[in-house]
Each structure stands twice: as structure tokens, then as C-alpha cells.
Amino acid sequence: MTDAALIDDLRSSLVARVARVSALDPFRSVGVVREVVGLLIESEGPPASLGDVVEMRTDDGGRIRAQCVGFRDGRLLSIPLDEVDGLRPGLEVVLRGEASHAPVGDALLGRVLDGFGGPIDDKPPINAGRTRSIYDPAPGPLERVPIDEPLATGVRVIDGLLPCGKGQRVGLFGGSGVGKSTLLGAMARNSSADVNVIALIGERNREVRGFLEDVLGEEGMRRSVVVTATSEQPAPLRVRAAFLAAAIADDFREQGRDVLLIMDSVTRLATAQREIGLAAGEPPSQKGYPPSVFQLLPRVFERAGRFEQGSVTAFFTVLVEGDDMNEPIADAVRGLLDGHVVLSRELASRNHFPAIDALESVSRVAREVAPEQQLADAGRMLEAMAAYRRSEDLINLGAYTQGANPKLDAAVQAQESLNEFLRQDLRAGDDLEGTRSRLRALAETV
């Protein structure tokens, strides 16, 4: 190693140590465990705030971390973030203020992190050099700039018919098994964003590795940071993972980069918050979801946006129960976002992938980010698709007479070409100009 490289290495190590020391609380705040009931640990002290992390040391030297979720009769209520073997009344409870911070920066690229920001990919320790609070508030409304620049996703049906802008927040709505993960991986590999931050919340362990190796792949992983909190992990850790991903995306955005934030899934995030709220004594409301769930969602969504320096474009998946698009979480999310993409089980059953129902989907910033020609072409194509869908049963039964409706005649003749445009092998993305050219040619036929 050269002298210059050695000096750089020492400087990075010193910066990391200074950051860790700066995050430490110089005062040791201590309490005592008094009672453990179900998911809740009740303790006298320490003087913590909502969201703070406390730590208990068991008699055999084990460590149990927990997150403060409420207060009752002067006692602190917390929910464990680790296994609770060895937990008993009388254990000392210590406030860990530094636990609300996590590493950020380029050192995270290509890494897989847990909800605490620690690596779980069997690679060397992360020497990030910087940390930041994961609970920073969302930027204010006057800090944002208009969304008027397109972000290419590499997916034809989105780029052509539902154009997305830098800083937009989009929901991907669909049931299980309709291709959400494959679609997300394609966007991570082929989008025009500089960096991907991917949060896998409440996923099965098998699916996490499958997503990393089979869906995201080496190409996508090189410019991605993956944060995961799987389904068996405690609810506070799953919620924390969502805020950690948002904080990492914020940091890249403040460096002037265009970030693609992908969160799969908002439904499992809401379920985790429901567990926390009900354990803390909140009254259930819609389908058992307490009010804190609907307060949590905008706190996460509003971290995305376009700013003078950089942008965070976010795609949030919503796993709709029984394909019910009006269930409480889907309904709340749809009203908070800048557009929604609906994945259809019927299209998936026809082996039509991506299974995006363009007629049920919408981009609320399309007019700001797409040229007039593209909007006109997309409008003609959507009209043809709508005309065909209205008469599809008659056509299949042979009850439609050609010549009765010239627009429908054109839609029927162009149906095969329409489906070729809507279908795509997601292993290869299409560039934005190529998508617009293909859309222009197709629009001339309907």
C-alpha cells in the first residue's frame, strides 16, 4: 500500500470513529424492567422519547434492544427488537440515543442491510464515515420544485402510457403472484436513476435472496442499497427499516443524485405499525388498523420529492387483500400518492407480463413530464384499448358486425400490435426515445 493510500485509509477510519463518538450520549440514562406482558416491556425509566431505543443486558451477557412505543402510568412501554430469551423483571434498562442514527453514503452501494443499518451480506464491515438520524422530518413544501423532468423506468407501458417524473410517488397495486417483484427488479436495473434504495419490508426470507440474485442481479445490485426486515422480525424493526431506507435515499439526494426508492410493501409496513399500535393500547378503527397507521404513511411518503439538489422518485407496492382496491390501506395510499399502477390478476393469468392494467392506472404528473405528441399518442392508444374492452365479449361471441363502429374496427385490427407493445421481456429495458417512437407508430394505426 502506498503512503497516500495509507493516509486516506487512516483518514477514513478516523472520520468513522469521530462520527461514532459524536453520536454517543455522554450521560447514562438508566431504568428498571418491572413487567413483561405479551409484546410489551414496562419499565420505570429511562427518560426516553417515542421511537428511542433502549437496551437490556441479560444475566448471561446477552443483549436485548427494544423501541419505545408509549407510556402508561409513568412507566415506559417498549417492544423488543431482538429475541427476549433471558428477559426478566429487575433488569437494567439503558437509553441508547445513538441507535436512532445509521450509516449513509457511497460505502453502502452494493450492500444488504438490516433494520439497524448493519450488513447481513457476509462482506467486510461498512466504513461509511457518516451517520444521520433515520427519523428526520420530511422537507417542507417550499423546499420542493415542480416535477417536470421525466424518469425513464425501462418499462414500456409505464414510460409510454403512464410517464413518471423525477420526484414522483407512485403506488403499485396488486394481489399476490402478479409479478410485482419482477417489475421492481426491472426498474432497478434499467431506470435512469443514479442510485436505487430498495426496502424489503416483511418479505419471506426465501424471497429476499431470490430477489437479490434472480430479479435484481449483479447489474442492479452495483448501484443499489438494499434494506431488509423479514416477516419473522419484530414489528418495530420492520417499521424502522422503512425509515432507514428513506434516510439513505435522502442522503444520496442531498448529494445531488436522482434516487429511485422502492418499498415492498406498504401493506406489510402498515401491518407492522398495527401490531405496535394495538400492543400499546391504541383503539382499532378501520379493519383493525389504529390511527397511528394512517399517520405513519405520509411520514414515509413525504420523504420523496424533487428538490433544487437531487430527487427521490418512489415506488411503493400495495398488496391488496382479495384484489379489493378499496380496502383501507389501498384507499389511503391512493389518496397520498402522485399516481398508481394497477397490476391485474386477469392479465397475469393470460401470461401477459408486465400485468399492468393501463386503463385502471394513472400518472398525475403526465402532462408536466411528457411532450404533447406523446400525450396525444397515449390518449389514442388508451381510447382504442377502452373501446375493445367494452365490446370484447361481443367480439369473442362473434356478435359484433364489422363496419358498425370505425373506431372499434381499428382497435380490433390493431389488437395484436397493442398487446406486443404492452408485453415486454423485463430482463431487457427499453430506452425512453425508443418507447416514444414505437408509441407514435402504433398510434397511427388506431
Side-chain angles (χ1 to χ4, degrees), residues 147-432:
I147 299 174
D148 56 10
E149 187 176 342
L151 178 90
T153 65
V155 180
R156 276 198 304 269
V157 63
I158 294 179
D159 292 342
L161 303 182
L162 309 165
C164 177
K166 293 180 180 179
Q168 186 177 358
R169 301 165 304 180
V170 183
L172 294 178
F173 294 76
S176 57
V178 294
K180 292 190 300 297
S181 295
T182 303
L183 181 60
L184 294 176
M187 289 192 290
R189 290 193 309 272
N190 303 315
S191 80
S192 59
D194 301 318
V195 177
N196 304 312
V197 179
I198 303 169
L200 303 177
I201 310 297
E203 289 283 357
R204 294 179 286 273
N205 282 274
R206 175 188 61 80
E207 290 188 338
V208 171
R209 182 154 192 170
F211 179 84
L212 296 176
E213 296 181 355
D214 302 331
V215 179
L216 190 58
E218 291 185 11
E219 179 184 355
M221 196 65 210
R222 276 195 295 269
R223 59 180 182 134
S224 300
V225 181
V226 178
V227 180
T228 180
T230 47
S231 57
E232 86 285 0
Q233 293 181 317
L237 196 58
R238 283 176 265 153
V239 175
R240 181 187 171 90
F243 281 99
L244 172 60
I248 294 171
D250 281 347
D251 188 77
F252 283 120
R253 185 260 302 168
E254 290 173 2
Q255 297 174 28
R257 304 192 194 185
D258 292 318
V259 182
L260 178 63
L261 172 62
I262 293 172
M263 193 169 294
D264 185 17
S265 74
V266 167
T267 306
R268 295 190 179 109
L269 173 64
T271 301
Q273 182 60 35
R274 178 171 62 182
E275 291 179 34
I276 296 171
L278 295 179
E282 274 192 87
S285 54
Q286 302 180 59
K287 283 199 174 180
Y289 289 104
S292 62
V293 171
F294 302 98
Q295 185 265 344
L296 169 73
L297 295 176
R299 288 177 58 201
V300 175
F301 296 162
E302 291 295 341
R303 301 285 284 270
R306 188 176 178 215
F307 306 87
E308 293 288 350
Q309 192 171 8
S311 66
V312 176
T313 307
F315 280 82
F316 302 98
T317 68
V318 183
L319 186 63
V320 293
E321 298 179 6
D323 295 331
D324 179 10
M325 291 295 295
N326 296 312
E327 57 94 16
I329 297 303
D331 197 43
V333 169
R334 196 163 49 243
L336 291 169
L337 300 179
D338 307 316
H340 55 271
V341 175
V342 177
L343 299 176
S344 165
R345 188 175 300 280
E346 182 183 356
L347 290 175
S349 67
R350 298 179 186 176
N351 197 34
H352 180 120
F353 291 102
I356 295 174
D357 188 339
L359 293 176
E360 295 294 330
S361 307
V362 66
S363 172
R364 295 178 182 169
V365 302
R367 294 198 172 277
E368 285 74 35
V369 301
E372 288 296 327
Q373 185 62 62
Q374 180 183 351
L375 294 173
D377 294 339
R380 292 181 62 180
M381 187 167 171
L382 290 170
E383 287 178 8
M385 292 167 59
Y388 185 87
R389 179 173 296 183
R390 284 194 301 268
S391 303
E392 186 171 9
D393 290 341
L394 292 175
I395 295 169
N396 291 335
L397 289 171
Y400 172 72
T401 303
Q402 189 172 2
N405 186 332
K407 287 188 176 181
L408 181 56
D409 290 343
V412 171
Q413 293 176 358
Q415 189 61 26
E416 186 174 344
S417 299
L418 286 170
N419 283 328
E420 285 181 4
F421 179 86
L422 297 172
R423 284 191 173 105
Q424 181 180 351
D425 181 356
L426 292 178
R427 289 173 293 184
D430 275 18
D431 66 276
L432 184 57

Side-chain angles (χ1 to χ4, degrees), residues 3-222:
D3 290 344
L6 180 60
I7 291 172
D8 288 340
D9 187 58
L10 290 173
R11 182 183 293 111
S12 298
S13 177
L14 180 61
V15 169
R17 291 173 184 270
V18 169
R20 286 197 293 269
V21 171
S22 300
L24 294 175
D25 187 348
F27 300 99
R28 194 167 184 264
S29 301
V30 179
V32 178
V33 175
R34 291 304 183 200
E35 191 173 359
V36 181
V37 181
L39 294 176
L40 278 183
I41 301 171
E42 295 191 18
S43 62
E44 292 183 3
S49 302
L50 287 175
D52 282 348
V53 174
V54 297
E55 181 179 295
M56 291 143 280
R57 291 284 183 177
T58 60
D59 296 334
D60 60 0
R63 179 178 67 166
I64 301 173
R65 292 167 293 187
Q67 184 167 350
C68 174
V69 297
F71 309 92
R72 179 189 299 154
D73 299 330
R75 288 184 174 182
L76 176 72
L77 306 179
S78 55
I79 295 182
L81 295 165
D82 298 301
E83 295 296 328
V84 294
D85 294 341
L87 181 62
R88 63 168 178 80
L91 287 181
E92 186 178 78
V93 184
V94 181
L95 176 63
R96 294 300 187 194
E98 75 277 6
S100 64
H101 288 68
V104 292
D106 286 356
L108 274 59
L109 290 173
R111 304 303 301 267
V112 184
L113 312 178
D114 62 15
F116 281 101
I120 59 172
D121 51 9
D122 297 327
K123 293 181 180 179
I126 297 173
N127 186 14
R130 294 186 295 113
T131 64
R132 68 181 292 159
S133 171
I134 66 172
Y135 298 115
D136 285 341
L142 300 185
E143 298 178 53
R144 301 165 188 266
V145 299
I147 299 174
D148 56 10
E149 187 176 342
L151 178 90
T153 65
V155 180
R156 276 198 304 269
V157 63
I158 294 179
D159 292 342
L161 303 182
L162 309 165
C164 177
K166 293 180 180 179
Q168 186 177 358
R169 301 165 304 180
V170 183
L172 294 178
F173 294 76
S176 57
V178 294
K180 292 190 300 297
S181 295
T182 303
L183 181 60
L184 294 176
M187 289 192 290
R189 290 193 309 272
N190 303 315
S191 80
S192 59
D194 301 318
V195 177
N196 304 312
V197 179
I198 303 169
L200 303 177
I201 310 297
E203 289 283 357
R204 294 179 286 273
N205 282 274
R206 175 188 61 80
E207 290 188 338
V208 171
R209 182 154 192 170
F211 179 84
L212 296 176
E213 296 181 355
D214 302 331
V215 179
L216 190 58
E218 291 185 11
E219 179 184 355
M221 196 65 210
R222 276 195 295 269

